[in-house]
Amino acid sequence: MRAKQCVPVCARLVLVLVMTTAVLLAPPPPLFAAGAPVADVTVPTVGRTWPVGLRPRVLRGWEPPATAYGRGHRGVDLTATPGTPVRAVAAGRVSFAGRVAGKGVVSVELTGTGEPPLRTTYEPVTASVEEGEEVEPGEVIGTVDATGSHCTVTCVHWGLRRDETYLNPLSLLPPWLLRRGPSRLLPVWS
């Protein structure tokens, strides 16, 4: 009788071990669009926080255009609900806070990133800062607008430029911020 009871329990344990091993050995999901460079070596990792949330989902990654006026995606789209605080990813000075083509935009020139300095952009955002204001990493610079997003769901478009050259904003973040948290095992219920 005991051997018959062990079969379902043992089978579940083996299944849990196999699934756990598969999860631990599987590569992490991609953070960037297929073919997009992972990091730009000209971008210092000065970021100290995500613009929204603790680890938002990247809805659309950075897709650099082949030419200056070519098709592409000159930033990343991060999931965010309307009213979510938008934070400066690094220290800098607000270079613009206002509306462009009907959308709220905040731009921050990042401190200590060379000449010309790197500039991050966030949209659609209702600004809580003014042009010329100094901001610290993690400081709230506005909130996500309910309208003006180009995503199918509300999102924040986060961009990065040096002069007229668009760069991958995820390159600002250190690896420990880009990685997902550790895997968690859940109980198996019979």
Side-chain angles (χ1 to χ4, degrees):
M1 188 75 172
R2 284 188 178 265
K4 286 183 180 182
Q5 290 174 339
C6 180
V7 171
V9 172
C10 292
R12 286 189 189 124
L13 285 173
V14 169
L15 180 63
V16 167
L17 287 172
V18 168
M19 290 177 65
T20 301
T21 303
V23 167
L24 292 174
L25 295 178
L31 286 173
F32 310 101
V38 171
D40 187 323
V41 294
T42 64
V43 176
T45 54
V46 295
R48 296 295 169 250
T49 184
W50 284 90
V52 290
L54 295 176
R55 175 60 180 89
R57 191 166 61 113
V58 177
L59 294 172
R60 184 174 177 194
W62 183 66
E63 300 164 15
T67 64
Y69 301 104
R71 295 181 68 205
H73 191 239
R74 293 160 173 85
V76 295
D77 295 333
L78 306 173
T79 56
T81 57
T84 299
V86 178
R87 300 177 186 283
V89 298
R93 184 185 58 78
V94 177
S95 57
F96 181 82
R99 300 197 75 71
V100 175
K103 294 180 185 180
V105 177
V106 175
S107 294
V108 178
E109 283 187 0
L110 304 181
T111 304
T113 57
E115 284 299 323
L118 291 171
R119 184 173 64 237
T120 54
T121 58
Y122 312 84
E123 67 177 83
V125 173
T126 299
S128 61
V129 291
E130 295 179 3
E131 189 172 323
E133 196 172 323
E134 297 289 327
V135 294
E136 293 298 318
E139 185 175 335
V140 174
I141 57 174
T143 56
V144 177
D145 284 344
T147 61
S149 172
H150 61 253
C151 302
T152 56
V153 297
T154 309
C155 73
V156 167
H157 179 82
W158 176 36
L160 176 66
R161 289 172 61 172
R162 184 181 301 279
D163 202 18
E164 297 302 314
T165 303
Y166 289 91
L167 302 165
N168 185 351
L170 293 173
S171 297
L172 290 170
L173 299 178
W176 62 269
L177 266 177
L178 291 171
R179 284 190 294 259
R180 294 196 181 276
S183 298
R184 295 188 183 109
L185 298 178
L186 300 175
V188 177
W189 304 103
S190 52

